[in-house]
């Protein structure tokens, strides 16, 4: 996808490798979302996926030579924090259930 | 060309830290260790990747945005981790069975992980809804 019709440079190759590894990291974090075992574990992993999404956005900006994408990174860095806070409030206030 | 080398190095180190944080979040034995891996290493990895973007683009606009993103991460990630860890401790998330010292043990009414939902809330959230869990016996 990245190298179609373009001469690969050092930076583009490294950015492609980085994108792949960060994608693998997101998959690993998602395993933690699936496994739990407690709800805060899942929230923590989701928070981490948000952080990695910021990394993915920045990497995509580098690969595509589009600095505009960094605006999305700013927004995501703020929004994922709010999501984590909301989840924390929810954990604090909910009734304990068995099926977490 | 040398700036490309620096950018590539920053990218690779940042990716390494992101990968390590994901591995730590997957492999560490309890929630608090996993948060330790995810928060600190993840923030450092994202910061290094942002630094790579600054080196690649090199313009003032990109630098400002990248610094802004990193500042937001630096402000929000510790707060989120602290809030989540506090809530998790009150919620009765078990520590690792080989934990030596639990400095908070006995100081707070921790919701028992095995208790049913019919037990009264230990921290009196029904009335106030404030965040702090009061000390035992108050």
């Amino acid at each position: 996808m990245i190298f179609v019709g373009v001469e690969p440079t050092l930076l583009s190759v490294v950015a492609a490798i980085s994108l792949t590894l960060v994608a693998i990291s997101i998959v690993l974090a998602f395993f933690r979302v699936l496994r739990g075992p407690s709800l805060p574990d899942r929230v923590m992993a989701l928070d981490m996926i948000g952080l990695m999404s910021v990394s993915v956005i920045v990497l995509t900006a580098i690969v595509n030579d589009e600095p505009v994408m960094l605006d999305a990174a700013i927004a995501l860095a703020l929004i994922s924090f709010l999501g984590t806070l909301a989840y924390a409030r929810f954990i604090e206030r909910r009734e304990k259930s068995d099926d977490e | 060309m040398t700036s490309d080398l620096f950018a590539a190095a920053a990218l690779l180190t940042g990716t390494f830290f992101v990968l390590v944080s994901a591995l730590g979040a997957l492999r560490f034995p309890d929630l608090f260790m996993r948060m330790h891996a995810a928060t600190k290493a993840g923030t450092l990895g994202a910061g290094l990747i942002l630094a790579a973007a600054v080196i690649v683009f090199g313009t003032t606009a990109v630098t400002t945005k990248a610094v802004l993103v990193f500042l937001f991460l630096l402000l929000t990630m510790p707060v989120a981790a602290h809030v989540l860890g506090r809530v998790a401790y009150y919620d009765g998330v078990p520590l690792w069975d080989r934990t030596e010292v639990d400095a908070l043990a006995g100081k707070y009414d921790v919701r028992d992980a095995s208790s049913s939902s019919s037990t009264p809330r230990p921290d009196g959230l029904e009335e106030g809804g404030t965040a702090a869990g009061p000390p035992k016996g108050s």
Side-chain angles (χ1 to χ4, degrees), chain A residues 41, chain B residues 28-35 93-97 99:
Chain A
D41 278 298
Chain B
F28 270 138
D30 76 8
L31 169 73
F32 302 99
M33 289 188 216
R34 288 196 278 263
M35 282 176 58
V93 172
L95 301 182
W96 192 28
D97 52 5
T99 303

Side-chain angles (χ1 to χ4, degrees), chain A residues 19-41:
Chain A
L19 258 180
T20 317
L21 291 179
V22 173
I24 291 173
S25 309
I26 290 182
V27 172
L28 292 180
F30 193 71
F31 274 125
R32 180 48 71 190
V33 178
L34 289 180
R35 270 168 58 178
S38 67
L39 188 54
D41 278 298

Side-chain angles (χ1 to χ4, degrees), chain B residues 11-25:
Chain B
L11 270 185
L12 284 181
T13 12
T15 313
F16 169 76
F17 276 110
V18 169
L19 193 62
V20 163
S21 80
L23 268 180

Side-chain angles (χ1 to χ4, degrees), chain A residues 26-63:
Chain A
I26 290 182
V27 172
L28 292 180
F30 193 71
F31 274 125
R32 180 48 71 190
V33 178
L34 289 180
R35 270 168 58 178
S38 67
L39 188 54
D41 278 298
R42 300 180 211 273
V43 177
M44 180 272 296
L46 280 176
D47 188 43
M48 206 167 73
I49 289 179
L51 187 65
M52 290 166 183
S53 308
V54 173
S55 306
V56 166
I57 290 173
V58 176
L59 282 171
T60 327
I62 293 176
V63 167

Side-chain angles (χ1 to χ4, degrees), chain A residues 10-11 14, chain B residues 3-15 48 52:
Chain A
L10 168 78
L11 200 63
V14 167
Chain B
S3 73
D4 268 15
L5 274 181
F6 280 120
L11 270 185
L12 284 181
T13 12
T15 313
L48 280 169

